């Protein structure tokens, strides 16, 4: 079963507000301790599935490791689609692996962010995303342990040139990914393995 966001959850409220405003929503999921295996990808897929308002739901085409594919999907997928970029998992120690994330988001910002898309991004840590890009994200979610994460609302302080964060409490999720979500997760995992063997694209997308 996919994650269920209660009506009084701040993230659910923000999503409903953005839907009413015909605006995008961007969520960045990272690990509190820069560790792997904390369930960032499963959380990203479940959140995207909960956000997606299209008839097809979260399909394989909406979840990718490629920054270029994310940019393409942003303009080609229908309004109300949720998109996942799991690029940051490529290599937690490799700054270059994050360059694709930063470049893709800059392109999306340049498009005006008016496509009514809900972006869910994963990265080893928020500091591996360029400062101006992470300030663009609406919510940061830090996985503390498998199945539990801390949410923070992010706003930008132009006078102090830094982000302002407000603790939105915790979010929990199951590691189970049924049906289409499981298939999408398996496809992402297979692509990660291909990249580790040098058979796929790199962090540039």
């Amino acid at each position: 079963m996919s994650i269920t966001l209660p009506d009084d959850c701040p993230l659910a409220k923000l999503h409903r507000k953005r839907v009413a405003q015909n605006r995008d929503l961007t969520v960045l999921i990272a690990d509190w301790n820069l560790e792997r295996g904390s369930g960032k990808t499963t959380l990203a897929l479940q959140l995207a599935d909960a956000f997606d308002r299209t008839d097809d739901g979260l399909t394989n085409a909406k979840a990718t490791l490629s920054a270029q594919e994310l940019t393409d999907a942003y303009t080609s997928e229908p309004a109300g689609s949720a998109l996942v970029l799991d690029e940051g998992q490529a290599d937690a120690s490799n700054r270059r692996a994050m360059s694709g994330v930063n470049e893709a988001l800059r392109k999306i910002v340049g498009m005006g962010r008016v496509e009514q898309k809900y972006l869910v991004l994963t990265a080893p840590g928020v500091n591996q995303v360029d400062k101006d890009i992470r300030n663009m994200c609406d919510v940061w979610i830090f996985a503390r342990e498998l199945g539990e994460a801390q949410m923070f609302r992010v706003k930008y302080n132009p006078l102090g040139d830094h982000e302002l964060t407000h603790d939105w409490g915790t979010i929990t999720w199951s590691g189970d990914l049924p049906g289409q979500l499981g298939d999408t997760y398996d496809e992402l995992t297979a692509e990660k393995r291909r990249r580790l063997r040098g058979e796929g694209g790199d962090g540039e997308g």
Side-chain angles (χ1 to χ4, degrees), residues 24 65 85 92 138 157 170 181 202:
D24 288 3
L65 304 183
L85 178 63
D138 301 296
N157 177 6
T170 59
L181 284 185
D202 59 22

Side-chain angles (χ1 to χ4, degrees), residues 81-110:
S81 292
L83 308 174
V84 175
L85 178 63
D86 200 23
E87 178 79 12
Q89 288 283 3
D91 186 344
S93 65
N94 187 354
R95 174 65 185 180
R96 182 172 178 270
M98 290 307 300
S99 64
V101 176
N102 295 314
E103 181 60 26
L105 286 178
R106 282 197 176 88
K107 289 180 180 178
I108 288 172
V109 170

Side-chain angles (χ1 to χ4, degrees), residues 4 8 18 22 32 36 49 64 67 106 126 134 148 158 169 198:
T4 299
D8 61 350
R18 293 299 172 85
N22 296 323
W32 190 269
R36 298 187 182 189
D49 187 55
T64 180
R106 282 197 176 88
V126 294
R134 66 176 184 259
E148 182 176 316

Side-chain angles (χ1 to χ4, degrees), residues 66-178:
S66 165
Q68 184 58 54
E69 288 180 2
L70 174 73
T71 306
D72 294 343
Y74 183 79
T75 55
S76 64
E77 293 294 338
S81 292
L83 308 174
V84 175
L85 178 63
D86 200 23
E87 178 79 12
Q89 288 283 3
D91 186 344
S93 65
N94 187 354
R95 174 65 185 180
R96 182 172 178 270
M98 290 307 300
S99 64
V101 176
N102 295 314
E103 181 60 26
L105 286 178
R106 282 197 176 88
K107 289 180 180 178
I108 288 172
V109 170
M111 294 174 192
R113 300 180 71 215
V114 292
E115 291 283 337
Q116 300 177 47
K117 303 291 166 56
Y118 317 115
L119 310 180
V120 184
L121 319 168
T122 72
V126 294
N127 288 330
Q128 289 181 284
V129 179
D130 287 349
K131 182 178 179 180
D132 61 321
I133 298 299
R134 66 176 184 259
N135 288 342
M136 183 201 75
C137 295
D138 301 296
V139 178
W140 293 350
I141 299 180
F142 292 95
R144 287 186 173 274
E145 60 185 52
L146 186 62
E148 182 176 316
Q150 196 83 14
M151 299 184 295
F152 292 88
R153 178 70 165 101
V154 183
K155 295 187 177 181
Y156 179 66
N157 177 6
L159 300 179
D161 190 27
H162 62 79
E163 62 269 3
L164 300 172
T165 58
H166 178 68
D167 189 347
W168 266 5
T170 59
I171 185 172
T172 59
W173 73 99
S174 168
D176 296 332
L177 294 171

